Amino acid sequence: EDKVVQSPLSLVVHEGDTVTLNCSYEVTNFRSLLWYKQEKKAPTFLFMLTSSGIEKKSGRLSSILDKKELFSILNITATQTGDSAIYLCAASRDTGRRALTFGSGTRLQVQP
Amino acid sequence: EAQVTQNPRYLITVTGKKLTVTCSQNMNHEYMSWYRQDPGLGLRQIYYSMNVEVTDKGDVPEGYKVSRKEKRNFPLILESPSPNQTSLYFCASSFLPGTNYEQYFGPGTRLTVT
């Protein structure tokens, strides 16, 4: 059975801290790993990673994929209170089934 | 404005009373999907559709039906809702996976079955 595991489940930091969120996966015919941010509404897309070792960056957020060790990390530097959210990772399959498997999420709280 | 819409946003119903949650997207996306989100379980895929008249089960399809008669619409049907289907439901859409697999999510439907 396909599985995506995120850690930690919850994290509390202070503004300015750097955080690393982890996502490991066991997915048959893996295609890509996606990261989403969910505040008090629908998830919004952050990154999609398909190749190992290529870092994707967007401002203070960056992410990288390791297809050999089957994990991805999401880094957030100089955190701000607006970064408080649930961060979700999801794995997609490279088959006709195109389904996504999500992890349970990491709840990040950034305190002033 | 490019968006995914869902209706209703909130629904309280009783066990066994058939209901439909509508989903519509205006981005000409081929791929549409339904998820439910429960505390501690993340998002779990119920059904998805890769194009008109093409649907398939996700991870938790029991108790749900879908149809895809038009490209823009993908309704979720609960023929006989039960309390364990109380959840937050999201519809999502995207172009078919290629170099871009970004999924756009609707605002969510909070369903309570008593």
Side-chain angles (χ1 to χ4, degrees), chain A residues 2-6 23-27 33 89-91 101-104:
Chain A
D2 293 344
K3 189 167 56 175
V4 175
V5 178
Q6 292 186 245
C23 176
S24 64
Y25 62 91
E26 293 177 29
V27 173
L33 194 292
C89 74
T101 301
F102 278 83
S104 58

Side-chain angles (χ1 to χ4, degrees), chain A residues 2-9 20-27 30 32-38 43-49 62-66 70-75 85-93 99-108, chain B residues 35-37 40-45 59 101 103 105:
Chain A
D2 293 344
K3 189 167 56 175
V4 175
V5 178
Q6 292 186 245
S7 64
L9 292 181
T20 298
L21 310 183
N22 303 295
C23 176
S24 64
Y25 62 91
E26 293 177 29
V27 173
F30 172 82
S32 59
L33 194 292
L34 298 94
W35 285 96
Y36 287 83
K37 177 182 182 182
Q38 185 178 22
T44 54
F45 175 80
L46 293 174
F47 298 111
M48 183 182 73
L49 303 131
S62 63
S63 183
I64 197 162
L65 174 68
D66 186 328
L70 308 183
F71 77 91
S72 174
I73 59 172
L74 175 68
N75 279 320
I86 297 173
Y87 290 84
L88 299 164
C89 74
S92 73
R93 306 182 190 95
L100 278 182
T101 301
F102 278 83
S104 58
T106 293
R107 183 180 293 275
L108 173 65
Chain B
Y35 298 90
R36 61 178 288 174
Q37 187 174 33
L41 296 177
L43 281 161
R44 293 181 293 168
Q45 191 169 49
D59 296 318
Y101 197 83
Q103 287 203 5
F105 282 81

Side-chain angles (χ1 to χ4, degrees), chain B residues 20-37:
Chain B
T20 299
V21 184
T22 64
C23 173
S24 183
Q25 50 91 7
N26 62 1
M27 295 168 278
N28 202 34
H29 286 161
E30 296 90 1
Y31 184 93
M32 297 186 75
S33 180
W34 276 103
Y35 298 90
R36 61 178 288 174
Q37 187 174 33

